Amino acid sequence: AKQKQGVSCLRYAGHVDDHHQRLLLLENRLRKAVEERRIKPFYQPLFCARSGQLMGVECLARWHDEELGWVSPDEFIPLAETANLIGKLGDSILEHAIIVAQALHQNCDQKDVYFSVNASPYQLSEIGFVDNMKALLERHQLPPRLLKIEVTESLFIGGNLQAINVLTELRNLGVGVALDDFGTGYSAFAVLKEGCIDMLKVDKSFVQNIAENDQEKALMTEIIQMAHIMNLQVVAEGVETEEQKAVLVGAECDILQGYLLAKPMSEADFCPYMNCNGLK
Ligand code: C2E
Ligand code: CA
Ligand code: CA
């Protein structure tokens, strides 16, 4: 038995080593990709639940590495945060999104489609975040109301006053702020009352079972009603079936996002989707 334990220990050590090696490799490749601005957004449309009209687009970072293939943002975003690369990565996604949003606003029929960009707490706490955004909006002449920033509940842990100030400044600029992954984290009620958020994105885990489970359907209905009392628009994430969509429309959800309606797509696919010849 002792010997067996030794073997499994060795194996375990090897495993940790592999994991560590991959992290190191990833970090090096990531640093290079960020430097070279090779991480680009994909675009996932969001629709009005009632009319089906296109309302907005979420920008989702995508990274394809020659050696590693596609790496998921669930892997590289946390790494960018710990490797101190998120500021640069976030800025490049933001600028890219603003350029595409402006081109769409200028050249396409659907003029009022908003662009939503994810921002990690690290990025928001960087000095100059708001000034930089203001400069980008001016340089590319995008009306601020067409930009939204998606933040998560973790931003507010410990009553982060600085974060609330940054969000308030964004709102004063005219930029929207959505609270992402609602329901998964730290209680967000205090945050909602601060008044610096204008949209709630209910996490996909709350959408998953609403068609089969009456309790979860009732919970979703309550969340939507509460949000409306607070003058917040509600987005349901991860809508995958017609049944889920029907429940959400019945519960007066405002906006739907999910594979049922449209998947995230590259800029090359997004242009024809939007009936646009080119975005730059
Ligand atoms: P998120 O902000 O919650 O983004 C929604 C995720 O749900 C995306 O995953 C999207 O592809 C996926 N999704 C959309 N519709 C469906 C559906 O119907 N079913 C299911 N199961 N999933 C759906 P993705 O693109 O892999 O991104 C993962 C997370 O990485 C994002 O979650 C966000 O937290 C983070 N992320 C992505 N891009 C950025 C970025 O530019 N900056 C920062 N800070 N974080 C980002
Ligand atoms: Ca998001
Ligand atoms: Ca989300």
Side-chain angles (χ1 to χ4, degrees), residues 58-60 116-118 150-152 180-181 201 237 257:
E58 180 172 2
C59 303
L60 294 157
S116 214
V117 177
N118 295 283
E150 298 192 5
V151 301
T152 51
D180 207 354
D181 304 338
K201 297 191 75 173
E237 300 182 323
Q257 175 179 14

Side-chain angles (χ1 to χ4, degrees), residues 58 81 116-125 129 133 148-157 160 163-164 166-168 170-171 175-185 188 191-192 196-203 237:
E58 180 172 2
E81 289 174 344
S116 214
V117 177
N118 295 283
S120 95
Y122 296 83
Q123 206 187 336
L124 275 169
S125 61
F129 179 78
M133 178 168 303
K148 230 182 240 307
I149 300 299
E150 298 192 5
V151 301
T152 51
E153 294 173 32
S154 64
L155 176 66
F156 302 94
I157 290 172
N160 187 343
I164 289 168
V166 167
L167 298 184
T168 306
L170 288 181
R171 292 298 305 283
V175 172
V177 177
L179 185 60
D180 207 354
D181 304 338
F182 181 76
T184 57
V191 173
L192 298 181
C196 50
I197 274 154
D198 64 348
M199 183 177 267
L200 211 64
K201 297 191 75 173
V202 184
D203 191 68
E237 300 182 323

Side-chain angles (χ1 to χ4, degrees), residues 11 104 183 220 257 259:
R11 234 189 245 139
L104 204 68
M220 175 64 80
Q257 175 179 14
Y259 297 160

Side-chain angles (χ1 to χ4, degrees), residues 131-148:
D131 290 337
N132 178 46
M133 178 168 303
K134 203 171 159 185
L136 283 175
L137 287 167
E138 276 166 14
R139 185 177 327 139
H140 299 293
Q141 305 216 310
L142 181 73
R145 68 186 158 82
L146 297 183
L147 183 65
K148 230 182 240 307

Side-chain angles (χ1 to χ4, degrees), residues 47-65:
F47 301 89
C48 173
R50 238 176 323 111
S51 69
Q53 194 192 338
L54 178 71
M55 303 300 288
V57 179
E58 180 172 2
C59 303
L60 294 157
R62 291 290 179 271
W63 175 28
H64 185 269
D65 180 84

